[in-house]
Amino acid sequence: WGDWHREHTVGPSRGDEISPTGWAARRGIPFTTHHDAPVAFPDSMRVLDATVTRRSRSGDIIGPDQRIDVITALKAMTIWSAYQHFEEGQKGSIEPGKLADLVILSRDPTAIDPENLDQLEVVETIKEGVTVFRSGHAAAPEARANR
């Protein structure tokens, strides 16, 4: 939506400041990221990519000063999101006693060029210890029944 805001709603300088993740990170403020489903398709890898690179759908960089590193973006999607919902005792990180909610990605997002984050794919999704999605496979029957 950066292109739209820059060109139609708030102009270039204010458009650069939309979702000021870099500003928040420099001040030590935890923040979360999101997508606008159903306005846009839910695609967490696109959200990760846009949060790190600030590359819009047109290919422009919207607010280069608001870019953040991959680890910070992952925290915004996991640990800080759980905190925002008062669920950090059960979710957000992998620890004994917490729900085993996680995804397995096609590559390590911290070990690839940030310009390639948009190429990551979710290979498997695990919810409370049960696989609910596996690339190329249907979820286990017990996972489908619990949806």
Side-chain angles (χ1 to χ4, degrees), residues 57-130:
R57 291 177 195 266
S58 72
D60 290 343
I61 304 298
I62 308 292
D65 291 345
Q66 300 305 332
R67 289 183 279 201
I68 58 171
D69 62 277
V70 174
I71 291 291
T72 302
L74 290 169
K75 286 179 181 179
M77 298 175 79
T78 57
I79 296 168
W80 296 342
S81 292
Y83 173 79
Q84 182 181 44
H85 288 273
F86 304 99
E87 296 179 329
E88 66 272 20
Q90 307 135 276
K91 299 178 180 180
S93 59
I94 301 170
E95 299 176 47
K98 290 190 175 185
L99 298 173
D101 295 350
L102 59 109
V103 296
I104 298 171
L105 302 176
S106 56
R107 297 180 63 198
D108 178 353
T110 66
I112 64 172
D113 183 336
E115 293 298 322
N116 295 326
L117 290 171
D118 63 339
Q119 297 172 23
L120 288 173
E121 295 180 12
V122 175
V123 175
E124 186 171 358
T125 303
I126 302 168
K127 174 80 174 145
E128 297 181 18
V130 177

Side-chain angles (χ1 to χ4, degrees), residues 2 5-6 10-24 26-27 54 61-67:
H5 289 300
R6 181 189 58 203
V10 298
S13 64
R14 287 189 177 151
D16 279 352
E17 302 305 319
I18 287 178
S19 299
T21 52
W23 182 92
R26 287 188 294 276
R27 287 160 178 79
R54 302 283 292 196
I61 304 298
I62 308 292
D65 291 345
Q66 300 305 332
R67 289 183 279 201

